[in-house]
């Protein structure tokens, strides 16, 4: 009976060792699963960060395109207005030249007077531009740009 009892004790000891090993293996597997899950979460986080950065870059690219488009449109509108005003002044100058010529009965004197008026106006404009016009234009354009940006933010 002793060998049977001994075999049973050996079997119980082996069973306990196997259960202990199995429990250790289960806890190790749980730890490994947790680590794998953490790695997957880290990969997902990295992927989300990359998407966020890509979206941020795209946002700023679109913002730059939008601002440059608005700037180009504004420059085009102002140049068109200047072009229109140039032709208005040109034809008004011709009309004024013919009017003064009719009063003085000389085309040469009439158009010389109109040329003198334009020359004096140009000199006054250049002198103003050196002193004040540059600052005024800078303030107006800065206010225009800042007001456009404030309207966009609202």
């Amino acid at each position: 009976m002793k060998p049977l009892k001994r075999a049973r004790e050996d079997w119980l000891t082996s069973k306990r060792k196997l259960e202990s090993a199995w429990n250790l293996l289960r806890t190790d597997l749980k730890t490994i699963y947790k680590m794998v899950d953490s790695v997957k979460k880290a990969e997902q986080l990295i992927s989300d960060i990359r998407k966020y950065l890509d979206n941020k870059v795209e946002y700023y690219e679109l913002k730059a395109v939008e601002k440059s488009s608005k700037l180009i449109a504004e420059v085009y509108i102002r140049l068109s207005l200047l072009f229109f005003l140039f032709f208005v002044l040109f034809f008004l100058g011709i009309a004024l030249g013919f009017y003064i010529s009719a009063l003085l009965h000389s085309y040469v004197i009439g158009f010389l007077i109109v040329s003198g008026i334009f020359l004096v106006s140009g000199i006054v404009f250049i002198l103003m531009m050196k002193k004040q016009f540059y600052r005024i234009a800078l303030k107006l354009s800065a206010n225009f740009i800042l007001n456009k940006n404030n309207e966009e933010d609202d």
Side-chain angles (χ1 to χ4, degrees):
M1 200 107 145
K2 282 192 177 188
L4 193 58
K5 193 174 185 182
R6 178 89 173 141
R8 185 171 175 4
E9 286 176 12
D10 288 343
W11 179 78
L12 285 175
T13 306
S14 297
K15 182 181 172 188
R16 282 188 207 118
K17 286 181 181 178
L18 279 174
E19 285 176 353
S20 155
W22 177 251
N23 287 335
L24 281 174
L25 183 62
R26 264 190 7 208
T27 50
D28 287 347
L29 285 175
K30 285 179 183 177
T31 306
I32 290 172
Y33 286 137
K34 286 179 184 177
M35 289 172 54
V36 168
D37 193 39
S38 296
V39 168
K40 286 181 182 177
K41 287 180 182 177
E43 288 174 349
Q44 182 64 36
L45 180 64
I46 290 170
S47 173
D48 290 345
I49 290 172
R50 283 188 181 142
K51 286 179 187 176
Y52 172 77
L53 292 176
D54 289 342
N55 289 339
K56 204 68 163 165
V57 167
E58 185 178 353
Y59 169 77
Y60 283 116
E61 286 174 353
L62 291 173
K63 197 75 166 166
V65 167
E66 178 187 19
K67 285 190 181 237
S68 62
S69 299
K70 286 182 179 181
L71 179 67
I72 289 170
E74 191 66 33
V75 167
Y76 177 74
I77 289 169
R78 289 181 186 223
L79 285 177
S80 298
L81 182 64
L82 284 174
F83 186 72
F84 176 73
L85 288 176
F86 169 77
F87 277 108
V88 167
L89 286 176
F90 178 74
F91 286 115
L92 283 176
I94 291 174
L96 184 62
F98 278 120
Y99 178 72
I100 293 174
S101 296
L103 289 177
L104 299 176
H105 303 291
S106 172
Y107 286 116
V108 174
I109 293 175
F111 280 98
L112 279 175
I113 290 173
V114 170
S115 296
I117 291 170
F118 280 134
L119 182 66
V120 169
S121 300
I123 290 171
V124 168
F125 183 75
I126 288 172
L127 291 175
M128 277 180 47
M129 189 165 76
K130 284 185 178 179
K131 292 182 180 179
Q132 295 175 350
F133 185 73
Y134 179 75
R135 282 183 277 161
I136 291 170
L138 186 63
K139 285 181 183 178
L140 287 175
S141 62
N143 286 337
F144 175 78
I145 290 171
L146 291 175
N147 285 338
K148 287 282 186 175
N149 287 341
N150 289 338
E151 289 173 5
E152 289 173 4
D153 292 340
D154 294 337

